[in-house]
């Protein structure tokens, strides 16, 4: 019986070998059969290789047939996405979300017939409360002025901009399409930490991101170079500067681009040598501690001649953010903006544990930052951006209600230029040319066509935001507040978002009150001179 089972395991291999022999013999009478002999012969050689190799047990036990396992594993995401998922399954974006972006970017009909497909009586369902006296907007080019009292060159930013994605992680054509679309639509394009490449030069407004590798403004040893930074900041296309402390996909984690993947164009943009691994450290070397960070903000403001300076982070230890806020109060130096990146964000590859379990989601992180700045009495000096799966007008409206002044999106704009969520971003085999450096693959991405889609997606999303704000009876989308949103709880009851995400009172962290003890307890332990816990700081 055992021998019979073993024979069955090798049956595909045996059949291929037998057919090879038979076709080879018949080929002497009908030469075209030699083609079949060659095909079956190739399978036979594959079976021989499978039996002799020792890396994959399944191939040794099931020669030839075992390869089906790897084939199905490779196409599993596509099979699931196209044949199995419902419109609401988020893997990580639902078909409904992706279709909305595709439709708006193409200028196609984005209406849905026959009512909602949402389960409105299940826990987690959210909705916007509307007014019986809606308003109307003549224009939906909504903007926010970014720049505090010390800013000489404030920037009127759109409420919806392109989040940080570096050249290198995105293809040349993808970067060009995004920047050209940003120019057409009049909104901002964050460079990501990979520096400003030649493909960012389509005329769109840029937010220059300064990461821990200081790409584009670094010395040969990887340290910060003030002179190079000042030269970049003086560029008319650069409207704001953003210091990246952490990102939602992998907060607290550095990265490395192997030397083999560095092209001359990437080396040019990052100001790095060819033939050497490109390292992005987990932390900055230009400053240490909360005081060092805010003083670095002040230094960049001076070097940029007063352009808006801010930083981006995914909230981790809440006390550490309060350390930064205390340093702001002590020095009098405040950033012009803070971008809160949720852990649900992420365009590139990240370790699974970091992607799934490190960092605070956007809603909680945004609420905490907003209320901490209110508690410290400086919320009016600092604008807040929010990022993390923001692809629809409802997503933007909800973020604005929780305290954001504007929103950024990375994957939303990736969908606009043709991303199909193949989740092959880290393989260099992106099927639509968005996240690859393969010249043939990226050539399929038509810059002129996709840039128009980027601009249309932005315009149509803000149009939808205007319609939602009008339905709520508002004069400005920035007037959204938590009470405008309701949520279904687990017990079936509904609750106002204001009951969960309350705006805490201005200046409460600066007095001797007893309200909001969770905030006060962390505030008491926050040290403006060190991120270390109080015990270690002593």
């Amino acid at each position: 019986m055992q021998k019979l089972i073993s024979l069955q395991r090798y049956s595909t291999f045996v059949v291929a070998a037998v057919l090879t022999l038979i076709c080879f013999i018949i080929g002497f009478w009908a030469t075209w059969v030699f083609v079949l002999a060659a095909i079956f012969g190739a399978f036979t050689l594959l079976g021989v290789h499978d039996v002799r190799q020792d890396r994959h047990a399944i191939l040794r036990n099931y020669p030839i047939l075992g390869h089906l396992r790897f084939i199905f594993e490779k196409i599993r995401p596509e099979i699931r996405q196209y044949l199995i998922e419902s419109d609401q399954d988020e893997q990580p974006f639902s078909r409904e979300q992706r279709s909305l972006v595709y439709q708006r970017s193409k200028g196609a009909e984005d209406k849905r017939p026959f009512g909602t497909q949402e389960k409105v009586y299940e826990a987690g369902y959210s909705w916007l409360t509307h007014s019986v006296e809606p308003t109307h907007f003549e224009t939906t080019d909504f903007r926010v002025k970014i720049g505090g009292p010390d800013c000489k060159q404030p920037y009127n930013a759109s409420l919806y901009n392109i989040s940080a994605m570096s050249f290198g992680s995105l293809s040349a054509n993808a970067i060009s399409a995004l920047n050209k679309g940003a120019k057409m639509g009049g909104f901002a394009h964050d460079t990501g930490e990979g520096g400003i490449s030649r493909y960012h030069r389509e005329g769109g407004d840029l937010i220059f991101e300064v990461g821990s590798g200081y790409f584009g403004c670094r010395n040969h040893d990887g340290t910060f170079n003030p002179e190079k930074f000042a030269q970049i900041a003086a560029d008319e296309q650069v409207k704001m500067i953003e210091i990246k402390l952490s990102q939602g996909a992998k907060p607290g984690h550095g990265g490395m681009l192997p030397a083999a993947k560095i092209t001359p164009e990437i080396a040019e943009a990052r100001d790095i040598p060819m033939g050497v691994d490109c390292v992005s450290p987990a932390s900055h070397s230009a400053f240490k501690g909360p005081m060092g960070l805010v003083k670095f903000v002040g230094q960049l403001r001076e070097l940029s001649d007063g352009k808006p300076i801010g930083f981006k982070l995914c909230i981790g230890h809440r006390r550490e953010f309060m350390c930064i806020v205390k340093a702001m109060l002590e020095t009098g130096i405040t950033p012009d903006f803070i971008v809160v990146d949720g852990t649900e964000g992420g365009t590139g590859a990240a370790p699974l544990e970091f992607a799934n379990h490190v960092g605070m989601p956007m809603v909680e992180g945004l609420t905490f930052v907003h209320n901490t700045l209110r508690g410290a009495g400086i919320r009016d000096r600092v604008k807040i951006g929010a990022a993390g799966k923001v692809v629809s007008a409802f997503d933007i409206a909800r973020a604005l209600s929780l305290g954001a002044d504007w929103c950024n999106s990375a994957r939303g704009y990736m969908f606009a230029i043709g991303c199909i969520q193949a989740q092959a971003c880290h393989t260099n085999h992106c099927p639509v040319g968005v996240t690859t450096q393969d010249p043939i693959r990226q050539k399929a991405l038509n810059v002129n066509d996709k840039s128009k889609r980027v601009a249309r997606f932005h315009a149509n999303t803000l149009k939808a935001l205007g319609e939602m704000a009008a339905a709520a009876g508002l004069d400005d989308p920035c007037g959204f507040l938590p009470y405008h949103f309701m949520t279904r709880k687990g017990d079936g009851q509904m609750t106002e978002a204001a009951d969960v995400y309350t705006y805490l009172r201005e200046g409460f962290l600066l007095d001797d009150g007893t309200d909001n003890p969770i905030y006060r307890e962390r505030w008491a332990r926050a040290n403006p001179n060190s991120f270390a816990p109080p015990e270690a700081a002593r």
Side-chain angles (χ1 to χ4, degrees):
M1 186 65 178
Q2 192 67 30
K3 291 183 178 179
L4 179 61
I5 294 175
S6 297
L7 182 60
Q8 289 176 340
R9 287 193 285 111
Y10 289 94
S11 58
T12 305
F13 180 27
V14 172
V15 168
V18 170
L19 288 175
T20 300
L21 180 60
I22 293 174
C23 290
F24 183 77
I25 295 173
I26 296 176
F28 288 103
W29 286 272
T31 55
W32 67 269
V33 181
F34 280 124
V35 176
L36 295 179
I39 294 173
F40 290 123
F43 277 110
T44 303
L45 291 176
L46 178 62
V48 172
H49 172 268
D50 291 344
V51 172
R52 299 185 61 183
Q53 61 83 38
D54 58 7
R55 292 188 60 194
H56 302 288
I58 191 170
L59 296 182
R60 294 192 74 177
N61 285 331
Y62 297 90
I64 303 176
L65 189 63
H67 286 277
L68 289 176
R69 183 260 183 190
F70 297 101
I71 293 173
F72 286 132
E73 184 180 59
K74 186 174 182 62
I75 64 174
R76 179 181 181 274
E78 287 79 6
I79 294 296
R80 181 178 180 85
Q81 180 179 144
Y82 295 122
L83 301 179
I84 300 176
E85 288 179 11
S86 74
D87 284 351
Q88 278 73 43
D89 287 342
E90 296 189 3
Q91 299 288 341
F93 284 84
S94 69
R95 177 175 292 276
E96 182 178 72
Q97 290 171 313
R98 299 195 307 274
S99 295
L100 180 66
V101 177
Y102 298 148
Q103 289 161 353
R104 286 183 173 164
S105 66
K106 296 174 183 177
E109 178 65 60
D110 63 354
K111 305 300 187 290
R112 174 66 66 84
F114 221 68
T116 180
Q117 295 184 12
E118 297 282 346
K119 297 177 174 60
V120 300
Y121 294 104
E122 289 194 0
Y125 174 72
S126 297
W127 66 95
L128 170 74
T129 61
H130 64 281
S131 171
V132 296
E133 192 172 6
T135 55
H136 175 71
F137 293 96
E138 294 296 334
T139 176
T140 55
D141 182 26
F142 303 118
R143 295 191 173 272
V144 58
K145 182 180 177 180
I146 303 175
D150 300 322
C151 179
K152 298 178 183 178
Q153 302 183 58
Y155 176 58
N156 287 318
S158 170
L159 292 192
Y160 194 44
N161 302 289
I162 303 172
S163 197
M165 294 179 284
S166 300
F167 169 57
S169 59
L170 262 60
S171 70
N173 283 20
I175 294 292
S176 293
L178 290 172
N179 195 256
K180 191 171 183 178
K183 180 184 179 181
M184 294 168 63
F187 53 99
H189 178 193
D190 194 314
T191 65
E193 66 176 315
I196 301 176
S197 71
R198 64 183 69 176
Y199 304 106
H200 288 93
R201 299 300 188 179
E202 297 288 347
D205 292 347
L206 292 178
I207 301 172
F208 176 51
E209 185 174 86
V210 179
S212 56
Y214 308 111
F215 300 124
C217 56
R218 70 201 304 266
N219 296 309
H220 294 307
D221 61 357
T223 56
F224 177 68
N225 185 305
E227 291 74 22
K228 289 182 179 180
F229 170 80
Q231 185 177 0
I232 289 177
D235 191 318
E236 180 61 29
Q237 198 177 346
V238 174
K239 303 300 182 181
M240 302 201 300
I241 290 92
E242 174 185 277
I243 305 165
K244 192 193 88 168
L245 301 181
S246 58
Q247 65 188 89
K250 47 181 180 180
H253 191 282
M256 185 188 73
L257 185 64
K261 292 186 178 181
I262 299 175
T263 66
E265 291 174 322
I266 292 175
E268 176 188 58
R270 300 194 177 203
D271 191 18
I272 57 175
M274 292 287 292
V276 179
D277 293 339
C278 177
V279 177
S280 297
S283 60
H284 282 261
S285 61
F287 58 85
K288 297 294 181 185
M291 283 290 191
L293 170 59
V294 297
K295 289 179 180 178
F296 189 59
V297 168
Q299 180 187 6
L300 297 191
R301 181 176 288 138
E302 182 177 346
L303 290 169
S304 66
D305 193 26
K307 288 188 176 181
I309 310 294
F311 58 82
K312 178 180 78 174
L313 81 169
C314 178
I315 295 296
H317 297 317
R318 288 170 286 180
R319 174 190 53 79
E320 290 185 350
F321 180 75
M322 289 183 164
C323 291
I324 299 172
V325 175
K326 276 193 171 181
M328 295 178 196
L329 295 177
E330 189 162 321
T331 61
I333 301 172
T334 54
D336 297 291
F337 65 92
I338 296 172
V339 175
V340 180
D341 202 8
T343 192
E344 64 268 48
T347 54
L352 185 65
E353 295 86 354
F354 278 78
N356 288 347
H357 301 294
V358 180
M360 189 176 290
M362 185 196 74
V363 168
E364 287 75 15
L366 173 59
T367 302
F368 174 74
V369 168
H370 173 62
N371 279 326
T372 298
L373 294 177
R374 284 176 62 86
I378 57 174
R379 178 62 182 88
D380 61 331
R381 295 172 62 93
V382 184
K383 292 295 190 288
I384 300 177
K389 294 186 75 173
V390 181
V391 297
S392 72
F394 183 84
D395 298 332
I396 298 173
R398 183 182 65 164
L400 295 176
S401 77
L402 297 176
D405 294 294
W406 86 91
C407 293
N408 294 334
S409 176
R411 288 170 291 181
Y413 285 101
M414 285 176 65
F415 291 139
I417 59 175
C419 171
I420 61 172
Q421 195 170 271
Q423 300 181 58
C425 308
H426 59 299
T427 66
N428 206 34
H429 296 150
C430 174
V432 292
V434 175
T435 60
T436 177
Q437 296 306 305
D438 184 329
I440 296 177
R441 290 177 184 272
Q442 65 174 294
K443 187 178 290 187
L445 195 159
N446 185 298
V447 172
N448 289 330
D449 176 60
K450 302 303 183 184
S451 61
K452 294 174 185 175
R453 295 191 182 192
V454 169
R456 275 196 297 263
F457 169 59
H458 172 268
N460 287 329
T461 301
L462 287 190
K463 179 183 177 182
L465 178 64
E467 291 172 345
M468 293 192 72
L474 300 177
D475 295 324
D476 190 317
C478 292
F480 277 117
L481 291 169
Y483 75 80
H484 287 112
F485 293 84
M486 305 290 290
T487 300
R488 181 80 62 193
K489 297 192 295 185
D491 59 3
Q493 300 299 309
M494 63 182 186
T495 183
E496 270 189 8
D499 296 334
V500 182
Y501 305 110
T502 307
Y503 278 27
L504 304 183
R505 66 181 178 86
E506 288 277 354
F508 77 90
L509 291 173
L510 306 179
D511 60 35
D512 296 325
T514 58
D515 55 335
N516 309 309
I518 294 177
Y519 280 79
R520 289 182 180 277
E521 186 272 333
R522 285 174 172 79
W523 183 258
R525 292 190 293 112
N527 180 356
N529 297 299
S530 174
F531 287 124
E535 297 77 14
R538 296 193 193 103

